[in-house]
Amino acid sequence: MGFTAVRIPKSLLTQHQANEKNTLGGGEAYHGYWQQDLYALNENFGTENDLKSLSDELHKRGMVSVLVQVTPSGAYVEQYLMVDVVVNHFGWAGEGTSVDYGHLNPFNEEKYFHSYCEVSSTTNMTNIDDCWLGDSIVSLPDLRTEDPTVASMYSSWISSLVSNYTVDGLRIDSVLNVEPSFFPKWLSVAGVFATGEVDDGVVGFTCPFQNSVESILNYPIYFPLVRAFASAKGSISDLVAEMEEVKTTCKDSTLLGSFSENHDQPRFPSLTSDLSLAKNVITYSMLADGIPIIYQGQEQHYAGGDSPSNREAIWPTGYNTQTPLYQHITTLNSIRSHAISVSANYSTYQNYAAYSDINSLAMRKGYSGSQVVAVLSNLGEGGLSYTLNLTGTQYMSGESVMELLTCTSLAVDTNGDIQLPMASGLPKVLYPSSLLAGSGLCGSKKAAPTTTGPTGQTTATATSTHTAKSASMFVVIPSHLQITLALAAVWFVLLR
């Protein structure tokens, strides 16, 4: 599909999870967020050598979900391994008052944890940071990350994790529940790019977390995005307003994780089975500001609702690479990668709504002369055919632009407008025809890839902030059916 990073779940890096052989109120502990031993792998997912081999293969080969990406000259571009980590809590199969701290490693004494209390507030940060998530069936003992000893022990662990498995990036779970002061020094020790989960849609509350973790998931956009494209009644104007608020409030919108599905939220097709709407919401995620993130199964149009139904096993599909969304995502990745290769500043340019109406949004990203304009619609598959008088793109009068999803050549008129054919509620993507050489798009020849990197290059230190802005991420999460076969499944997705 053209991704430059694959994120594997925390369950590949833990074992002895809370009551892992029994079914609990929150489901089996297959997902890894109820860790009990930081230094032991989950044996159901393979050995240390298996994980090291996965990292090695990912770094040296261009595969189905991790294709080597190149500039028009054929220059090598790294591939990245990201892992999911939790620093907020451990897991215990029982009430918070029943925890046997001696069973936890390396935090094997009660002194490392906050006293038991339940998170009960959405605004009181002391309660959010210091109290425990979970319930009476599975409690999540909350670490005292403000304690220098705890912070030092966590630093030792993350340093060894990154080094042992050549990890290039981290996704940090439950950032919202950790004191922000913990992260700067810890991330400096890790030495790799990190993005954090702050699962709140309020811009003014969420954006300040970028002061401690440079990249966070773009939940403020996620909620209005899904609402805008779930049906023709969705509000495009609300989405446009949120785009502007995120740009002006967040420290750097181009470092946010751009997504429309993940393992904590109902999948988009659970809201609507309309394939055109799915293509539109994915197009936004791939071509908006930030680091595009596609969740395993999204390319198969999976429709699971709340967890764990949204964590479906992937192998029943046969890893189908011919589905409409797989092909759509592959094309979007090619478009984005080519735009970055043509314009070094493409990924740092902040996108904006060049045009919008009640059912349409034209989103521009990139400087004049090499801009990409994504035109989105929430009319769905039943949308009628019509011609949209597209204004505000700032293409030059008389310029030829290519609609890249249908390979239709269009001319910019004397007013700078484009008469854009629309049908069946499908998205469109415009790009200057003169810049297509080397892209492999719409009949242009693709530059030959270089499949091996420079000798001796160290990938773990390559994921700078600038590099991360150009990355795109494919997320692999095990389902509750994947306990014993997950390692094979991940390898098949990545290495076939």
Side-chain angles (χ1 to χ4, degrees):
M1 278 187 287
F3 289 95
T4 56
V6 170
R7 194 187 98 208
I8 60 175
K10 186 67 174 67
S11 50
L12 292 179
L13 303 171
T14 56
Q15 69 173 178
H16 305 306
Q17 296 169 340
N19 205 14
E20 64 181 359
K21 295 183 179 180
N22 297 314
T23 299
L24 304 172
E28 294 180 33
Y30 60 88
H31 44 64
Y33 299 113
W34 302 340
Q35 62 198 8
Q36 293 189 341
D37 189 340
L38 289 182
Y39 288 96
L41 296 183
N42 185 337
E43 61 187 12
N44 291 308
F45 293 90
T47 67
E48 288 188 14
N49 286 336
D50 290 330
L51 186 53
K52 288 177 180 178
S53 295
L54 171 61
S55 180
D56 290 343
E57 291 297 331
L58 179 57
H59 286 127
K60 77 180 183 181
R61 296 167 60 182
M63 302 299 168
V64 173
S65 292
V66 192
L67 301 179
V68 170
Q69 300 204 14
V70 295
T71 65
S73 63
Y76 176 81
V77 179
E78 283 287 4
Q79 308 304 306
Y80 304 114
L81 172 66
M82 296 187 68
V83 298
D84 215 330
V85 297
V86 185
V87 296
N88 179 65
H89 58 262
F90 270 45
W92 183 254
E95 296 183 358
T97 55
S98 69
V99 177
D100 177 2
Y101 294 96
H103 193 68
L104 309 181
N105 183 45
F107 304 108
N108 57 1
E109 297 182 58
E110 187 173 0
K111 67 180 182 180
Y112 297 123
F113 296 86
H114 290 121
S115 298
Y116 175 71
C117 58
E118 295 181 2
V119 173
S120 58
S121 174
T122 58
T123 57
N124 184 323
M125 290 309 299
T126 300
N127 177 269
I128 292 170
D129 289 346
D130 295 350
C131 291
W132 294 23
L133 298 169
D135 51 36
S136 61
I137 300 174
V138 178
S139 58
L140 304 180
D142 195 89
L143 270 300
R144 297 180 66 241
T145 49
E146 72 278 10
D147 185 314
T149 300
V150 172
S152 177
M153 293 167 72
Y154 258 137
S155 291
S156 296
W157 164 69
I158 198 63
S159 177
S160 66
L161 177 74
V162 168
S163 175
N164 289 344
Y165 302 109
T166 319
V167 172
D168 304 296
L170 307 171
R171 182 265 189 188
I172 310 168
D173 186 69
S174 305
V175 166
L176 173 61
N177 301 96
V178 180
E179 293 79 4
S181 61
F182 166 81
F183 289 109
K185 184 176 181 179
W186 184 73
L187 288 173
S188 176
V189 172
V192 295
F193 170 77
T195 188
E197 178 203 30
V198 182
D199 55 346
D200 192 288
V202 178
V203 176
F205 178 81
T206 301
C207 287
F209 283 90
Q210 262 196 303
N211 294 322
S212 54
V213 181
E214 278 192 300
S215 172
I216 57 176
L217 299 180
N218 199 344
Y219 266 102
I221 285 292
Y222 165 77
F223 292 109
L225 172 64
V226 169
R227 290 195 299 267
F229 291 100
S231 76
K233 297 180 180 179
S235 176
I236 298 294
S237 61
D238 284 355
L239 175 58
V240 170
E242 195 80 344
M243 289 168 60
E244 290 304 308
E245 187 176 0
V246 166
K247 281 197 304 180
T248 58
T249 306
C250 281
K251 183 179 179 180
D252 186 350
S253 64
T254 67
L255 269 175
L256 302 177
S258 176
F259 69 99
S260 56
E261 289 186 20
N262 67 27
H263 63 288
D264 289 323
Q265 304 296 331
R267 289 189 183 271
F268 183 77
S270 73
L271 307 176
T272 172
S273 61
D274 191 296
L275 191 61
S276 289
L277 293 174
K279 288 184 176 181
N280 277 278
V281 79
I282 288 172
T283 301
Y284 183 98
S285 297
M286 293 294 296
L287 298 181
D289 282 350
I291 302 164
I293 302 172
I294 292 295
Y295 173 40
Q296 167 189 285
Q298 196 167 357
E299 80 286 356
Q300 306 294 336
H301 206 216
Y302 273 3
D306 292 322
S307 301
S309 298
N310 59 354
R311 301 175 181 182
E312 308 96 316
I314 196 69
W315 62 75
T317 69
Y319 307 96
N320 190 349
T321 63
Q322 301 303 313
T323 67
L325 293 184
Y326 189 105
Q327 297 297 315
H328 183 64
I329 293 167
T330 301
T331 300
L332 294 174
N333 247 333
S334 295
I335 293 169
R336 182 175 182 271
S337 298
H338 183 69
I340 291 170
S341 74
V342 169
S343 174
N345 296 320
Y346 174 84
S347 59
T348 59
Y349 184 98
Q350 291 184 303
N351 72 325
Y352 67 91
Y355 170 91
S356 65
D357 59 36
I358 191 171
N359 295 117
S360 307
L361 166 63
M363 180 176 66
R364 173 198 164 153
K365 187 170 178 68
Y367 288 91
S368 294
S370 59
Q371 66 266 46
V372 174
V373 176
V375 184
L376 311 176
S377 168
N378 68 3
L379 291 176
E381 293 173 312
L384 300 177
S385 298
Y386 67 99
T387 298
L388 176 65
N389 182 38
L390 182 59
T391 61
T393 65
Q394 296 189 345
Y395 289 121
M396 298 296 292
S397 173
E399 184 176 4
S400 174
V401 297
M402 184 69 73
E403 197 293 293
L404 297 173
L405 300 181
T406 60
C407 295
T408 301
S409 181
L410 301 164
V412 182
D413 67 23
T414 55
N415 296 318
D417 302 338
I418 299 172
Q419 303 307 306
L420 180 63
M422 302 289 290
S424 303
L426 290 167
K428 306 288 185 179
V429 181
L430 305 177
Y431 190 67
S433 300
S434 61
L435 298 180
L436 286 175
S439 68
L441 297 163
C442 297
S444 63
K445 186 177 180 180
K446 187 172 180 63
T450 300
T451 56
T452 56
T455 302
Q457 187 166 357
T458 304
T459 59
T461 59
T463 44
S464 64
T465 296
H466 178 76
T467 302
K469 290 182 179 184
S470 299
S472 55
M473 190 188 309
F474 185 74
V475 179
V476 180
I477 297 289
S479 83
H480 57 297
L481 302 175
Q482 285 180 261
I483 297 297
T484 59
L485 297 177
L487 183 64
V490 172
W491 273 67
F492 194 83
V493 170
L494 302 182
L495 306 181
R496 62 181 290 233

